């Protein structure tokens, strides 16, 4: 994947991954919110997505909550398709 930001080391070893590839952000956000509720303070959540709105929706989620956006990576997996990996640090 190509980094959109310089990710901290914590993002390289997430505590949990939610795989939303093939799902729309609106559909996948409920799965992300459940994972956020289950993780302790300081944990890192990785969210995998193929929805191009990931670059807007997950940063918005971080802004609207106490959670910290660590960064987003993206990778082109075909002529048109991209995959995104978003990293959030949990804050209660």
């Amino acid at each position: 994947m190509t980094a959109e930001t310089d990710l901290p080391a914590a993002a390289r070893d997430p505590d949990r991954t939610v795989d939303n590839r093939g799902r729309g952000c609106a559909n996948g956000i409920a799965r992300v919110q459940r994972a956020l509720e289950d993780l302790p303070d300081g944990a890192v959540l990785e969210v995998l997505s193929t929805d191009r709105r990931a670059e807007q929706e997950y940063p918005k989620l971080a802004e609207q909550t106490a959670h910290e956006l660590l960064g987003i990576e993206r990778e082109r997996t075909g002529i048109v398709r991209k995959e995104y990996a978003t990293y959030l640090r949990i804050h209660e």
Side-chain angles (χ1 to χ4, degrees), residues 2-15:
T2 56
E4 290 299 305
T5 61
D6 291 328
L7 295 174
R12 299 293 172 202
D13 188 23
D15 297 288

Side-chain angles (χ1 to χ4, degrees), residues 14-47:
D15 297 288
R16 182 176 294 168
T17 299
V18 173
D19 189 347
N20 280 338
R21 292 177 288 190
R23 300 174 191 263
C25 272
N27 220 0
I29 201 76
R31 296 175 81 217
V32 170
Q33 288 177 326
R34 281 193 301 273
L36 291 171
E37 291 171 2
D38 291 343
L39 289 168
D41 189 54
V44 174
L45 175 66
E46 174 185 48
V47 182

